[in-house]
Amino acid sequence: MFHPLIFDNIRVVLEGAVYDRDFDGAITITNRSDVMDMATFQRLFQIDFKLAEYAENDQGVRAQMQLRTSLGDIAAEQLETPLVEHIGCTICIHFYMQLEKPGDIPNSAKEITAILNDIWGERPYITQTLSAKLPEHRIEWPPPSWENRVTLDFHRKIDEGNIDDLRLLIEHTIQSLAGLQNYVKQT
C-alpha cells in the first residue's frame, strides 16, 4: 500500500483548514498550486488568499502560505534511512502589499515589522523585499508605489507532530492580513 509523505499529510490538512476559513467567509482563496519540480525533485504547495472583503480590490493585501520539501527529505522518508537531520518540510508565509508613499519606506518597514511581531510574538524571521515596476518609456523616479513582499520564515522543519499547530498558524496569518490591510488603508 502507498504511504503518503509527511509533505502530503501536512498539505492535505493545511489546504483543508484554509478552505474551511474560505467557506466561513473570512477569506477568499485567490490561487493555489501543487508542484513537483522535476529538475530538483522538490515538492511545493502554495495557497494564496485575501480577506474576503478585499478579494476583488487591487489594494488588498495577499497572503501566500508555502509548504516545501526536498529530495533529501523525500528519499530519507521513503528509504527509511537517515539522510537528513530531521525529516519533514518547511513552511513560510509571504504577504504582498502596495506601498503608496515611497519616501516613507523605512518607517513603513518598521511599522509592518512591529504589526507582525505583535501577532507572532517575534517568532518568525521577517524580511521585506521591495520592488517597483518601471515602464520602459516612462521611467518615473521615485516610482508612485512599491510592492512589498514580507516573508515570515520559521527556520525549521515541521512534521505530522505539528499538524495541530496549523489552524493556529492560519489564524495568525488571517490576523496578520487584517493588521496589514488596516495599515495599508491608513497610509
Side-chain angles (χ1 to χ4, degrees), residues 32-186:
R32 62 177 287 283
S33 178
D34 192 355
V35 177
M36 173 64 186
D37 183 336
M38 297 304 288
T40 59
F41 290 100
Q42 291 186 47
R43 292 279 309 272
L44 169 68
F45 172 76
Q46 60 189 32
I47 190 161
D48 297 23
F49 52 91
K50 292 180 175 183
L51 293 174
E53 61 266 27
Y54 292 94
E56 301 298 323
N57 186 332
D58 289 341
Q59 296 302 311
V61 178
R62 177 172 52 99
Q64 180 181 76
M65 300 183 85
Q66 287 186 337
L67 184 68
R68 183 183 306 266
T69 194
S70 68
L71 173 61
D73 291 299
I74 294 169
E77 187 174 358
Q78 291 297 322
L79 298 173
E80 298 178 1
T81 305
L83 301 173
V84 293
E85 190 173 317
H86 175 76
I87 298 172
C89 47
T90 59
I91 192 164
C92 71
I93 302 164
H94 303 287
F95 297 98
Y96 297 87
M97 69 192 77
Q98 292 294 320
L99 299 177
E100 300 296 330
K101 296 181 180 174
D104 204 25
I105 295 292
N107 287 331
S108 292
K110 288 177 187 173
E111 289 182 43
I112 288 167
T113 298
I115 290 167
L116 294 171
N117 279 333
D118 284 346
I119 295 167
W120 295 88
E122 299 190 24
R123 170 62 184 100
Y125 184 74
I126 300 170
T127 57
Q128 297 184 49
T129 306
L130 297 165
S131 63
K133 190 174 195 176
L134 302 175
E136 179 181 5
H137 299 290
R138 297 187 63 204
I139 295 177
E140 164 184 348
W141 197 263
S145 69
W146 293 79
E147 182 179 69
N148 189 0
R149 183 184 77 182
V150 183
T151 301
L152 279 61
D153 193 339
F154 298 90
H155 290 293
R156 69 182 186 98
K157 290 183 183 175
I158 61 171
D159 58 27
E160 283 108 337
N162 303 104
I163 283 180
D164 290 338
D165 300 332
L166 293 178
R167 290 201 186 278
L168 183 60
L169 188 79
I170 292 165
E171 291 309 312
H172 277 49
T173 303
I174 293 170
Q175 288 176 0
S176 299
L177 269 177
L180 294 171
Q181 189 66 62
N182 189 43
Y183 174 74
V184 167
K185 195 167 51 173
Q186 291 175 0

Side-chain angles (χ1 to χ4, degrees), residues 13-33:
V13 173
L14 176 67
E15 184 176 23
V18 172
Y19 270 95
D20 285 346
R21 297 302 283 145
D22 183 281
F23 293 143
D24 291 346
I27 61 170
T28 299
I29 295 171
T30 58
N31 196 17
R32 62 177 287 283
S33 178

